[in-house]
Amino acid sequence: MLKKKNLIFVGAPGAGKGTFSAILLEKHPLAHISTGDILRNEIKNDTPLGREAAVLMKEGKLVPDEIVAGMVKKRLAEKDCENGFILDGFPRTVKQAELLEEALKELGRKLDAVIYFKVPDETLLQRLTARQNCKKCGAIFNKLFMPSKKENVCDHCGGELFQRPDDSLETAKSRLEVFYKQTSPLIEYYDGKSLLMSITELDKDKITAQLFAELE
Ligand code: AMP
């Protein structure tokens, strides 16, 4: 059982939020709430929200706070979140953090920990531009650091691997800028609430060990 199970994963794009969510979920049945995944699903289904989000995401900009906070509030009220959750990529602004706090209060829940994955910019850009995702199951690979066994084929389900359009070098750079301007104030915000744990390690096994030591 986890000691801490209502979690936020924060970090710049490419910092490993998705990768370490998957590692934690292999062992613990938490609900995985990735606002990026929810938005990509809206785009796939060609909904009005998806069409609005697609323009912003392509430029590496953030989708408006009220929209993403509303999506997350709805998701948190679902049954599977009762056992705990990982918020991956949300909140991304202090306003979103405040809206989250209100939503959790209404649901009678509270946060247990905010994990900050701190990674140098050169590494982030190298990782983002070499990242590959599975079209079928969403698994994450990296051509340089975590390659699939067979080129462009998912190890888990055999699905085709692709590069996210916003992982191009140009958009990745804008997303990093957006992180420092709009998201990084959250680090201080959650530190002030004594919820923050920073991971500065870059080795996958060492990060995994630190994560489990903090949460289990
Ligand atoms: P991600 O998959 O978390 O890297 O998110 C991809 C893109 O979706 C971001 O660059 C934003 O355009 C949008 N997005 C995801 N989460 C949020 C959020 N919490 N607030 C605003 N925009 C978001």
Side-chain angles (χ1 to χ4, degrees), residues 186-201:
L186 283 179
I187 310 305
E188 216 173 290
Y189 178 85
Y190 283 121
D191 197 24
K193 294 183 182 288
S194 304
L195 286 170
L196 193 76
M197 180 210 177
S198 294
I199 297 186
T200 51
E201 188 58 63

Side-chain angles (χ1 to χ4, degrees), residues 133-153:
N133 292 62
C134 174
K135 265 189 186 161
K136 228 160 109 186
C137 75
I140 305 166
F141 296 88
N142 190 292
K143 280 188 187 171
L144 296 177
F145 306 109
M146 234 174 25
S148 56
K149 291 193 186 96
K150 198 173 159 200
E151 208 180 329
N152 301 328
V153 178

Side-chain angles (χ1 to χ4, degrees), residues 13-14 17 34-37 39-40 53 56-58 60-65 68 71-72 88-93 96 131 164 166 175:
K17 304 183 295 294
S34 154
T35 40
D37 283 350
L39 290 166
R40 280 184 286 277
L56 296 164
M57 287 167 77
K58 212 169 170 185
K61 291 184 182 152
L62 295 186
V63 173
D65 292 334
V68 271
M71 281 168 12
V72 171
D88 165 357
F90 177 92
R92 260 174 154 100
T93 64
Q96 290 180 17
R131 177 156 76 176
R164 276 172 43 177
D166 56 348
R175 289 163 67 206

Side-chain angles (χ1 to χ4, degrees), residues 3-4 113 115 195-197 209-216:
K3 277 192 312 231
K4 298 181 181 178
I115 313 293
L195 286 170
L196 193 76
M197 180 210 177
Q210 277 186 18
L211 197 58
F212 283 120
E214 169 74 12
L215 304 177
E216 283 184 329

Side-chain angles (χ1 to χ4, degrees), residues 155-179:
D155 289 354
H156 309 294
C157 74
E160 188 190 338
L161 302 183
F162 75 107
Q163 187 190 41
R164 276 172 43 177
D166 56 348
D167 281 345
S168 66
L169 182 61
E170 196 193 350
T171 311
K173 280 184 179 164
S174 325
R175 289 163 67 206
L176 282 193
E177 260 178 50
V178 167
F179 172 78

